[in-house]
Amino acid sequence: MTTSTIGAVSSDSHTCESLYGAALEGPEARAIDIVKRFEQRPDLSSISNDEVKSASDELVAFRLRASPAAGTLIAEQESPLNQMLTIIQSGENQTIDTLAFKTAGMELLSFCQPYPSKHDSSHTQAAPAAG
C-alpha cells in the first residue's frame, strides 16, 4: 500500500535556502526590504500593491510547503504584509505590527542558521536586519 502526499513538505534546509536565496535575493529578503521601507515612510508611498502582494504570495507558498516549525514563523510574517495590502487597497488607516514581523524574522534566521546555503555558507549570518 502506498500513500501520496499532496504538496510535499520541503526540508528545512531547502526552505531556508530558498527563502533567503543564494545572494539574499529570496522572498525573505524582499519582505524585509518592504518592511524597512514602510518603517522609513509609513505613508506607504514607497511600496506598491503589486510588490507587497507578490511578497505575501511567495511567503504563503513557502509556508504551505514548509515544516510546521518553519511554517509557523513564516505565517507570523504574513500578517504585517497583509495589513499593508489592506491599507493600500482600502485607504483605511491601520496600525501595522512590524515588531511581530521582525521578531518572527529573527526567529526564522535563528531557525535557518544550521542550514548553510550551497552557494554561500555565510548567507544566514549576513541576512539583512529587519530594522
Side-chain angles (χ1 to χ4, degrees), residues 16 18-21 24-34 55 58-59 62 73-74 77 101-102 104-106 108-109 127-128 130:
C16 290
S18 299
L19 271 173
Y20 289 98
L24 294 176
E25 82 291 351
E28 180 67 12
R30 287 189 290 279
I32 289 169
D33 179 61
I34 290 168
E58 286 180 302
L59 289 180
F62 274 95
L73 296 172
I74 295 167
Q77 291 194 305
F101 179 92
K102 291 188 274 187
M106 294 305 294
L108 188 59
L109 186 62

Side-chain angles (χ1 to χ4, degrees), residues 3 6 22 27 34 41 43 46 50 54 56 62 66 73 79 83 89 96 104 107 112 115 117-118 122 124 130:
T3 59
I6 297 174
I34 290 168
R41 297 191 70 182
D43 63 0
S46 67
D50 289 343
S54 176
S56 178
F62 274 95
L73 296 172
S79 180
Q83 290 172 317
Q89 293 169 353
I96 297 176
E107 290 176 20
C112 288
Y115 308 109
S117 168
K118 293 175 188 170
S122 66
T124 55

Side-chain angles (χ1 to χ4, degrees), residues 7 15 17 20 39 50 56 62 75 92 95 102 113 116 125 129:
T15 297
E17 182 176 332
Y20 289 98
E39 288 183 328
D50 289 343
S56 178
F62 274 95
E92 293 179 21
T95 300
K102 291 188 274 187
Q113 191 69 33
Q125 295 172 0

Side-chain angles (χ1 to χ4, degrees), residues 38-124:
F38 166 75
E39 288 183 328
Q40 293 167 352
R41 297 191 70 182
D43 63 0
L44 294 168
S45 63
S46 67
I47 302 167
S48 76
N49 183 63
D50 289 343
E51 72 179 315
V52 177
K53 175 104 174 81
S54 176
S56 178
D57 289 349
E58 286 180 302
L59 289 180
V60 168
F62 274 95
R63 178 179 49 80
L64 294 175
R65 293 187 317 265
S67 69
T72 298
L73 296 172
I74 295 167
E76 290 175 21
Q77 291 194 305
E78 291 171 30
S79 180
L81 295 176
N82 290 333
Q83 290 172 317
M84 283 182 207
L85 278 174
T86 299
I87 293 169
I88 291 170
Q89 293 169 353
S90 71
E92 293 179 21
N93 193 7
Q94 295 183 24
T95 300
I96 297 176
D97 188 1
T98 58
L99 181 59
F101 179 92
K102 291 188 274 187
T103 300
M106 294 305 294
E107 290 176 20
L108 188 59
L109 186 62
S110 186
F111 177 85
C112 288
Q113 191 69 33
Y115 308 109
S117 168
K118 293 175 188 170
H119 306 287
D120 175 5
S121 63
S122 66
H123 86 283
T124 55

